[in-house]
Amino acid sequence: MNNPTKVIAIDGPSASGKSTVARKVAAGLGYRYVDSGALYRGIAWKAADSGCDVARNEDVVAAMGRMKVEFFEEAGAIRYRIDGVEPRAEIRTERVSGLVSLVAAMPEVRAQVTRWLRDMAQFGDLVMEGRDIGTVVFPGADAKFYLDASPEERARRRHAELKPAGETADVNRVMDSLKNRDQRDSGRATAPLKLAADAQVVDTTGLNIDQVVEVILKRLDKPLSKSSPPLS
Ligand code: DC
């Protein structure tokens, strides 16, 4: 695929550090950041909120067909509203995290989200994070990174994120829930999480966010200049 704009794909499992890293890489390059998982989460949240059985493919597809989804650019990111509402904390709950991998396994949902993600190139150069960005959404991406970290490190990170969101969960339960999600994301028939043949792997275990951002920008041959936004 020949992209009219530049696309950097950042894929990897849950809590591998993709979101914060991708946001900072986008800021460092002056590109727009896209969180593709937030769209799957938004559909799961809205479908559940409208009373549909999120395990039933045809119910979710019908609910998605009724949703009015609009995209806009703000603060260096492409964001979206569903039926006029931009969902935020409500799509980050453990409940939505439990439902979203069911929704993300549905081929019709993936086809629609993939169309939306490809259309975002009209906003300009993108750093897009997800599970299938380098393999399915933008196989011709200008650069592809695959971030990973040990399961223990990922569970620790996710646990630390849940606390400020007001959710309490035991770290072992968080690890079980991540493992279940990894299995569903990697085992599904349509666009499973897998390493693109031409992706560069970055193991983020033991690295902080800024170190990972630096590794990526270096590999892109764009080390941070003094005028780049601060990394903290
Ligand atoms: O990155 P995240 O945890 O917010 O993703 C939420 C869910 O969406 C997760 O189950 C994986 C799925 N997902 C996907 O299947 N493909 C993407 N490109 C992004 C996320």
Side-chain angles (χ1 to χ4, degrees):
M1 193 189 303
N2 213 356
N3 303 313
T5 51
K6 293 218 176 302
V7 177
I8 311 293
I10 301 187
D11 289 301
S14 303
S16 54
K18 294 185 308 290
S19 305
T20 320
V21 165
R23 194 183 291 279
K24 290 191 170 197
V25 168
L29 295 169
Y31 290 10
R32 290 141 203 86
Y33 162 70
V34 181
D35 173 0
S36 65
L39 269 170
Y40 290 102
R41 287 175 178 271
I43 293 167
W45 162 73
K46 187 69 189 183
D49 205 51
S50 59
C52 103
D53 179 351
V54 173
R56 284 173 56 91
N57 188 81
E58 55 273 39
D59 289 11
V60 174
V61 172
M64 185 175 68
R66 290 190 294 271
M67 295 175 197
K68 183 169 176 283
V69 183
E70 343 157 62
F71 299 94
F72 60 100
E73 182 177 349
E74 197 177 292
I78 309 301
R79 293 153 58 152
Y80 70 91
R81 291 187 198 91
I82 301 183
D83 297 339
V85 175
E86 184 184 13
R88 288 174 158 257
E90 51 274 60
I91 61 169
R92 304 285 159 196
T93 61
E94 275 295 274
R95 175 169 171 266
V96 170
S97 295
L99 295 175
V100 65
S101 45
L102 298 172
V103 168
M106 297 173 179
E108 294 91 336
V109 172
R110 299 205 70 83
Q112 177 62 77
V113 171
T114 297
R115 278 194 293 275
W116 283 329
L117 294 171
R118 288 181 179 156
D119 282 351
M120 288 179 190
Q122 67 191 291
F123 286 97
D125 299 331
L126 305 172
V127 174
M128 188 176 285
E129 57 120 332
R131 305 293 191 288
D132 63 339
I133 308 307
T135 51
V136 174
V137 181
F138 286 108
D142 298 83
K144 302 178 187 179
F145 294 94
Y146 186 95
L147 301 196
D148 211 347
S150 69
E152 294 75 20
E153 172 109 2
R154 294 193 291 120
R156 199 183 49 70
R157 288 178 188 165
R158 181 48 52 89
H159 186 249
E161 277 168 17
L162 286 173
K163 266 204 208 148
E167 299 222 4
T168 46
D170 164 279
V171 77
N172 291 320
R173 272 198 39 217
V174 173
M175 178 124 83
D176 286 346
S177 131
L178 274 180
K179 276 188 188 152
N180 284 338
R181 203 127 53 88
D182 285 353
Q183 260 161 23
R184 283 195 247 170
D185 289 341
S186 306
R188 67 175 173 236
T190 312
L193 168 66
K194 65 173 191 224
L195 179 62
D198 49 353
Q200 308 187 48
V201 179
V202 181
D203 183 349
T204 70
T205 312
L207 296 182
N208 67 33
I209 296 289
D210 292 352
Q211 289 168 323
V212 180
V213 171
E214 194 137 4
V215 167
I216 291 180
L217 289 174
K218 264 199 194 126
R219 291 197 192 172
L220 289 170
D221 201 24
K222 294 233 164 110
L224 283 181
S225 70
K226 290 217 166 66
S227 59
S228 298
L231 280 177
S232 57

